[in-house]
Every structure is written in structure tokens, then in C-alpha cells.
Amino acid sequence: MNEITIHLKSLIEQKDWKNLKNQIHELSPLQISEIIEEMSKSDGILLFRLLSRQYAKETFENLSHDTQEEIINGLAQNGTKITSLLNDLEPDDRTAFFEELPGKVVQPLMQLLSEHERKIAGQLLAYPEDSVGRLMTPEYVAVKSYYTVNQALDHIRKYGHDSETLNIIYVVDDQWNLIDDIRIKEIILASPEQKISEITDNKFTALNVFDDQENAVKIFLDQDRVAMPVIDNEGTLVGIVTFDDMMDVAEEESTEDFQKFGSIKEAIVNPLKAKVSTLYKNRVVWLTALVFVNIFSGAAISNFEDVIQSAVSLVFFLPLLIGSGGNAGSQSATLMIRALATGDVVIKDWFKLIGKELIVSLILGLTMAAGVALIASFRAPEIILVVSLTMVLTVITGSLIGLILPFIFTKFKVDPATASAPLITSISDITGVLIYFSIASVYLGI
């Protein structure tokens, strides 16, 4: 706990509510959210109860979902406080909170919303999960193309208070079809009597309400915008998505990909708060499956008992050689999964990449072979050639496995992160054992 948190906690213990309320309102909502996350559940709820309406809204948006749920449950006896909070939340933040809750919990909360906010919440939750429609907010400012700059500025002053952002102003026709999006700077610098149509070029990029969120992140980053319009299939402007929403998605996707690569079934945001049963269920499936995959390694080794008996020193180098192949494969897969996720490479690039990976892995293999040869010269000089050649081939094989698997998964429309490190390592282990003892068999004449 930092000094501020400790001080506020002491004020709670002293029940000095007036001083406590004054001091928390000297902090930013982000600081308050961090303090609540550090505090116990009861102290966090108590602190939240003392916040003003605006502070409560902004603080709530910065809390983790688990803490948000604790706050809502803690405010259950204060219907007025919950009603104000839920109605004040930005539509996209409220949707993000609702979609993580069971349906039976969401329904009573929906009833606390005003008719207008309930309609908005229902519309956003009706869009498919992981679609842009779940992220967007209907709070933006749009002007008509026939407005003068003066009329547009008057319109912005009148309706801009509740807008998520005023950096971008949207231009629509009478049917609310999107015509363009222009920066507020262009309107401010234009002549007051100019029409909006005179400063538009009708060139814009929009997201479709049904677009996948992960694909939307790529488009957003390519366009380098603080906000992007969202349209339906008829071209009607239905909302906007802002940079902070996209960055939240990017962080979630990165976390999910990273954990999938570690063979964790579903993303776990905070393992400290996750239940033991949840951590167990998310890890046991892949680990159990990989136990059976590794049976093949044992079976392969058992087929080379005669080779092992004739040169027991082969066993000394076994972990080193097959481990090197798995590590090379994991490195290669990490690079490919990242490149596929960012769109830097596509499926048609696989042939070029295989050629390049062959060269890189050959050089890596030769470098590592030199190292293992040096070790073998002291421990088992009679098998230097076997371990050196095996190192080169296992590094090449592991690297190619790590490169090809993500492309195969992508081809079959499966998340390439599913080509997890343990899976790649297990396959590399099997191939490494076969390569090692096959070479040894030929070399030793067995």
C-alpha cells in the first residue's frame, strides 16, 4: 500500500468522514480507482459511497470488472446511488460491464436505467459478442453538409457536452447516412460563412457495426485516428469508437494470445483474484492432452534401446538436443503469431518465410552445434558428429514447425495463438528423439 492509501485507511478507521470526503476529492478518479483496488472490499465500497456523482462515474470506469461488480453489490441497499451511476456511465463502458455479467444479474440492473438509456443499452447488447457494435457509443456530434460553419459551431456548442470526443465531427445527410468525418480544427479555421460541404472531401474510413473487434484494431491503428465512425450495412451512422476502447481490445487480445500460447484455455486477467477452480480448469485440458502427446516420445525412445545400451553417453545429450529444438520452435512461432496478428504477414507469404527461416535456422543450428561439439569433446568425443548433426537438424526442424503451425491454424480459421509453446515443444521433442537416435543408429552401425 502507498502512503495515500494508508492515510485514507486510517481516516476510515477513525470514522473521520468529512475529512476523508474532502481528501479523496483532491485526487483524480484514476488515483481513487487504484486506491480502491488496493483496499479491502468493505473499505473500497465505503470510499466509493463518498464520491460525488461525477467522480463516481469516472472512477467506476477505471476499475477492474471484478471490483465493479463488488461495488454494485455493495451499493445494492442504495438504489438511488446505483441508478445514478448506471445512468451516468458512458454507453460503451456500461455495455462492457453488462456483457461480463450473467443475464439474470443484468436484467434487474437494466430496469434501473431511464427509458432512453435502457433503449441504448439494449441496442448495444443486441450486437454480436466481440463485434464493433458492442464497443461503440452513440454519443457523438454530427452536422449536416448544408450547414454553414457558424451553424455547425452553434450545433456543436449545443449538443457537444455529452459527446465522447469533439476531435472529430461527422457529416451526415438528412437520412443520417455518413458523408464524411472532419477534424474540429478544420471547422474552427474555416470562414464562418463557408458551408460544411466546401471543407469536406467525402473521403473517410468507417467501421461496420458487425466488424470483428480484433480486425477493427488493425484498421484503427492503420488510420491513426482518435475516433472512427461506425455504420450499418446501409451506410447509416450509428455510433463511434474511440482510441481508448480500441486499446482496451488490443490489450485483451494480446493477453488472450499470450495465454493461449502458454496453453491456457481462456484469458485470465488477474490470477490473484481468479478462483483456484478457474485457474485449474483453464490449464488442465491442454496439459492433460500434452501428456498423451509426449507418450510418443517415450515410445520412440523405447525403440532405440539397443542404440542407447551401446552408447550410454547419448542419454547425456538428449535433454539438451530436444530442448534446443523446442526453444527454436517457440521463438519462430512467437514471431509468426505476432506478425499474423498485426497483419505484417499473410498466408500467401508462408513460402518466402520458409526459405528465410531455413537459412536462419541453419546458421543458428551450426552455431549451437559448435557449442555442443565443444561439450562433447570433453564428455563423449566418440559421438561428437552425432550430437553436432542432430543439433543442426533439430533446430531447423523445430524452427520450421514453429513457423508452419501458426499458418496452418490461420488457414483453417483457428486462432494462430493456439499453436502454443507446449504443443510446439512436444512435437519438436518427438521429432528430435527420432532424428537423434536415427543418426546414432546409422553412425554406430546398429
Side-chain angles (χ1 to χ4, degrees):
M1 280 190 187
N2 59 41
E3 292 182 8
I4 299 175
T5 306
I6 294 171
H7 176 61
L8 294 179
K9 189 171 175 59
S10 69
L11 291 178
I12 292 174
E13 291 171 353
Q14 296 166 25
K15 297 184 179 181
D16 188 353
W17 311 128
K18 184 178 179 180
N19 199 13
L20 178 63
K21 188 171 183 177
N22 290 335
Q23 292 200 27
I24 59 176
H25 283 88
E26 292 177 2
L27 304 171
S28 70
L30 180 59
Q31 287 176 304
I32 297 171
S33 66
E34 290 173 347
I35 290 169
I36 290 175
E37 294 282 4
E38 283 187 321
M39 285 185 163
S40 66
K41 178 180 173 180
S42 58
D43 286 349
I45 292 169
L46 195 154
L47 199 67
F48 190 86
R49 284 177 180 271
L50 296 175
L51 296 176
S52 66
R53 187 166 177 171
Q54 183 62 28
Y55 258 57
K57 168 198 164 186
E58 294 177 13
T59 300
F60 190 84
E61 291 171 355
N62 288 309
L63 295 171
S64 67
H65 182 268
D66 288 342
T67 307
Q68 287 178 337
E69 201 169 345
E70 288 174 359
I71 295 293
I72 291 294
N73 291 333
L75 298 177
Q77 296 177 344
N78 190 337
T80 304
K81 186 84 172 179
I82 295 181
T83 301
S84 299
L85 176 63
L86 293 177
N87 279 286
D88 289 343
L89 285 175
E90 301 296 342
D92 52 339
D93 293 320
R94 185 173 55 220
T95 303
F97 173 59
F98 279 172
E99 68 182 358
E100 295 293 330
L101 297 173
K104 64 181 181 181
V105 177
V106 172
Q107 285 307 313
L109 295 178
M110 289 278 284
Q111 299 309 310
L112 297 176
L113 300 176
S114 67
E115 185 178 347
H116 174 67
E117 294 297 336
R118 192 184 309 131
K119 182 179 178 182
I120 292 173
Q123 288 173 340
L124 298 183
L125 288 169
Y127 290 112
E129 190 176 355
D130 294 328
S131 69
V132 169
R134 288 286 186 100
L135 286 178
M136 70 178 185
T137 176
E139 295 182 346
Y140 58 88
V141 176
V143 298
K144 303 295 175 63
S145 60
Y146 52 77
Y147 284 5
T148 64
V149 168
N150 249 344
Q151 288 175 319
L153 289 172
D154 287 341
H155 183 84
I156 293 167
R157 292 188 192 102
K158 185 176 181 180
Y159 296 103
H161 296 286
D162 295 326
S163 178
E164 183 90 359
T165 176
L166 288 177
N167 295 64
I168 306 294
I169 304 300
Y170 302 92
V171 184
V172 296
D173 61 19
D174 289 332
Q175 286 70 48
W176 219 258
N177 291 318
L178 183 62
I179 296 174
D180 204 354
D181 59 349
I182 53 178
R183 298 179 188 275
I184 187 71
K185 174 183 176 182
E186 296 172 44
I187 298 177
I188 293 172
L189 296 178
S191 170
E193 300 307 317
Q194 266 189 295
K195 290 189 178 296
I196 293 298
S197 59
E198 296 176 39
I199 59 174
T200 59
D201 58 11
N202 298 334
K203 294 178 181 177
F204 63 89
T205 301
L207 300 171
N208 187 282
V209 72
F210 295 107
D211 283 345
D212 181 82
Q213 292 178 5
E214 191 170 2
N215 293 331
V217 171
K218 299 173 188 175
I219 298 171
F220 212 97
L221 294 175
D222 288 342
Q223 295 296 314
D224 192 25
R225 303 297 291 268
V226 295
M228 285 190 71
V230 181
I231 58 175
D232 63 15
N233 292 332
E234 282 72 47
T236 304
L237 179 62
V238 291
I240 66 169
V241 174
T242 54
F243 181 79
D244 58 330
D245 295 321
M246 284 291 101
M247 291 305 96
D248 287 342
V249 172
E251 183 181 354
E252 288 172 10
E253 293 296 336
S254 296
T255 300
E256 183 180 328
D257 287 349
F258 182 80
Q259 293 187 351
K260 278 185 179 178
F261 195 63
S263 289
I264 295 176
K265 189 179 177 183
E266 295 176 2
I268 297 169
V269 177
N270 189 342
L272 187 63
K273 294 187 175 182
K275 297 178 181 178
V276 172
S277 59
T278 301
L279 293 170
Y280 170 77
K281 285 188 290 186
N282 277 285
R283 298 170 63 180
V284 70
V285 176
W286 262 109
L287 289 178
T288 303
L290 293 173
V291 166
F292 291 98
V293 171
N294 280 298
I295 288 174
F296 292 105
S297 297
I301 292 174
S302 66
N303 287 330
F304 292 100
E305 287 182 5
D306 293 341
V307 178
I308 295 172
Q309 288 175 1
S310 64
V312 178
S313 55
L314 290 169
V315 177
F316 173 76
F317 292 95
L318 181 60
L320 170 63
L321 293 170
I322 63 175
S324 298
N327 291 337
S330 295
Q331 284 185 338
S332 180
T334 301
L335 292 173
M336 288 308 103
I337 290 170
R338 175 62 181 164
L340 286 166
T342 57
D344 293 334
V345 301
V346 293
I347 292 180
K348 66 180 181 180
D349 296 324
W350 74 276
F351 190 73
K352 293 179 184 176
L353 288 166
I354 285 177
K356 182 173 286 188
E357 189 64 21
L358 272 171
I359 296 172
V360 173
S361 60
L362 175 61
I363 298 171
L364 288 171
L366 290 171
T367 304
M368 296 174 73
V372 78
L374 180 63
I375 297 171
S377 65
F378 294 101
R379 297 296 299 266
E382 70 278 6
I383 57 169
I384 287 179
L385 184 60
V386 174
V387 294
S388 300
L389 186 55
T390 299
M391 179 62 83
V392 174
L393 292 179
T394 54
V395 169
I396 292 174
T397 304
S399 297
L400 292 179
I401 290 170
L403 181 144
I404 293 170
L405 271 183
F407 279 97
I408 292 174
F409 280 107
T410 302
K411 178 68 176 176
F412 289 99
K413 302 188 184 304
V414 177
D415 191 337
T418 309
S420 57
L423 177 61
I424 291 166
T425 302
S426 296
I427 296 174
S428 297
D429 285 354
I430 297 168
T431 55
V433 167
L434 293 172
I435 290 170
Y436 186 30
F437 290 115
S438 295
I439 293 173
S441 297
V442 174
Y443 183 75
L444 299 173
I446 300 174

